[in-house]
Amino acid sequence: MPSAYWYYGLVVIALILLAASLLYRKDWKLLVLQLTITGIIHPFEIVVLILTDAYRYFPGILADLRLDNYLGSYISNSLIVPASAVAINAFSLSWGYIVPIAVIFTGIDWFFATLGIYQHFWWKSGYTGIGLIILYGISRKIWSELQEKRNCSIFRLTVIYLTYASIHNIIVFLVNQGGELFKFQVPLAGDPEKFHQGFFYLYLFITSVIIVLVIGLKLPLHYRLLGIAFLTFVYWIIGEYHIFVPQVDDISAWQLILVPIIVVPILMCLFRIAKIDYIFPR
C-alpha cells in the first residue's frame, strides 16, 4: 500500500474525531483547544524534527522530500494528535482510556517506522507515548480552564497566543510551502534550512506576542498603535538587513503584514462563536 494512503487515513481519522467531538459537545471551544494543542506542539517539533533531526516523515504525497517531511509533520502534529486530545476532552475520557490511547499512538509510531514511511534517528517510539500522556494531561487542564467564565490574564493571553500562532503558522506554510516565496537567511548561518525554520519560529513568536498584547490587554489606543508600530519595525528590520530573502519577484518583507491582517479577524470570529471573550477585553 502506498505510504500516502496511511497518511490520508490519519487525516480522515482526525477529521472524524474532530467532527464527532463538535457534534457531541456542540461547543466551538473544542476547535480553540485543537489549535491551542497545535500551538504547544509546534516549537517542540521545530527543535526535534528540524534542529536535531530526531525523525523524518515520508508521506509520499509531495515530490519534494523536504516539503513531504513537513507535510507529514503537519498531519501528525496539527491534525491527528490535537484531534485525539479534543476527543478525549469532548467525551470526558478518564485516564483508564487516555493511557491506552497513548499506547495506540505509540504503536502507530512504531508501525509507521517498520513500514518505512516514517524514520527514527535518535527518537524512540516510547518517547512518543510519554510525550502524549503529558500532552493529554495538559489538554485536560486547558479544557477545564476554557469552561470557566473568569480566568487569570496569563491563561487568557496564552490561549490567544497559541491559537493565533497556530493559524498564522498554517497559513504561511500553505502559502510559502517551506520557502517557495521567501526564506529567512543570513550569511554564515550554517545550515540554511535549519536557520530558515528556526528564525521563522522566532519571527512567529515575536509577531504573535505583539499581536496578543495589542488585542488581549486592556490598553489605551495609543499603546495599541505603539504595538503595531513595533510590529512594523520588525518587518523593516528583516527587510532592511536582508534577512527576508525573496524567492520570486514582486514580494517583500512588508507583505508579511497581510498575514496578521487575515489571522486576527479569523481569530476574533472563532472566539466569538466559541463564546470566549478574551479579545479586546472591556
Side-chain angles (χ1 to χ4, degrees):
M1 180 183 294
S3 59
Y5 291 169
W6 293 102
Y7 283 87
Y8 288 144
L10 292 180
V11 172
V12 171
I13 293 171
L15 294 177
I16 290 173
L17 287 175
L18 187 56
S21 299
L22 288 169
L23 289 172
Y24 175 77
R25 195 81 183 204
K26 296 180 175 61
D27 190 341
W28 285 96
K29 293 185 185 70
L30 290 168
L31 188 53
V32 174
L33 179 65
Q34 170 91 14
L35 292 167
T36 300
I37 297 300
T38 299
I40 291 172
I41 297 173
H42 181 238
F44 171 83
E45 190 75 343
I46 289 291
V47 173
V48 176
L49 177 70
I50 306 296
L51 300 183
T52 64
D53 299 311
Y55 43 71
R56 184 170 298 158
Y57 298 91
F58 298 103
I61 298 172
L62 300 176
D64 187 325
L65 293 179
R66 179 179 59 91
L67 295 181
D68 201 46
N69 180 32
Y70 297 158
L71 180 61
S73 172
Y74 274 88
I75 291 172
S76 173
N77 299 302
S78 297
L79 283 175
I80 185 64
V81 171
S84 66
V86 166
I88 284 169
N89 289 282
F91 293 96
S92 302
L93 300 183
S94 67
W95 282 103
Y97 291 96
I98 294 172
V99 172
I101 290 171
V103 170
I104 289 171
F105 274 96
T106 302
I108 292 172
D109 180 289
W110 172 84
F111 181 63
F112 274 36
T114 302
L115 290 177
I117 60 177
Y118 168 68
Q119 182 180 6
H120 290 158
F121 294 107
W122 60 263
W123 190 258
K124 305 294 183 183
S125 295
Y127 300 164
T128 299
I130 295 170
L132 285 173
I133 289 175
I134 295 171
L135 185 68
Y136 291 151
I138 293 171
S139 76
R140 282 163 60 96
K141 178 62 176 175
I142 294 172
W143 179 244
S144 175
E145 289 293 325
L146 284 173
Q147 306 308 303
E148 301 293 332
K149 292 185 177 181
R150 295 182 180 274
N151 307 101
C152 69
S153 296
I154 293 177
F155 177 79
R156 296 160 72 98
L157 294 174
T158 300
V159 170
I160 298 172
Y161 168 82
L162 292 171
T163 309
Y164 173 89
S166 295
I167 300 172
H168 186 127
N169 181 40
I170 291 169
I171 288 177
V172 172
F173 175 75
L174 292 174
V175 174
N176 192 38
Q177 297 182 31
E180 293 296 311
L181 297 182
F182 69 87
K183 288 182 178 292
F184 291 120
Q185 294 178 358
V186 295
L188 306 177
D191 187 322
E193 183 63 24
K194 289 186 178 181
F195 178 84
H196 169 71
Q197 296 296 336
F199 190 87
F200 171 74
Y201 179 72
L202 177 62
Y203 154 80
L204 177 65
F205 174 79
I206 293 172
T207 302
S208 300
V209 167
I210 294 170
I211 293 294
V212 167
L213 295 177
V214 168
I215 69 175
L217 292 178
K218 294 180 180 179
L219 295 174
L221 178 60
H222 62 276
Y223 282 118
R224 298 188 196 278
L225 294 176
L226 183 62
I228 294 171
F230 186 77
L231 185 60
T232 304
F233 177 70
V234 171
Y235 295 133
W236 179 81
I237 285 288
I238 62 177
E240 180 70 16
Y241 290 92
H242 308 291
I243 300 172
F244 178 94
V245 180
Q247 303 298 299
V248 296
D249 295 332
D250 302 322
I251 187 172
S252 72
W254 293 110
Q255 289 170 281
L256 290 176
I257 202 168
L258 294 173
V259 182
I261 288 174
I262 294 170
V263 176
V264 169
I266 293 174
L267 189 67
M268 292 175 66
C269 290
L270 173 60
F271 276 37
R272 180 177 291 274
I273 64 174
K275 298 179 181 178
I276 296 175
D277 59 351
Y278 296 176
I279 297 178
F280 296 121
R282 299 177 181 178

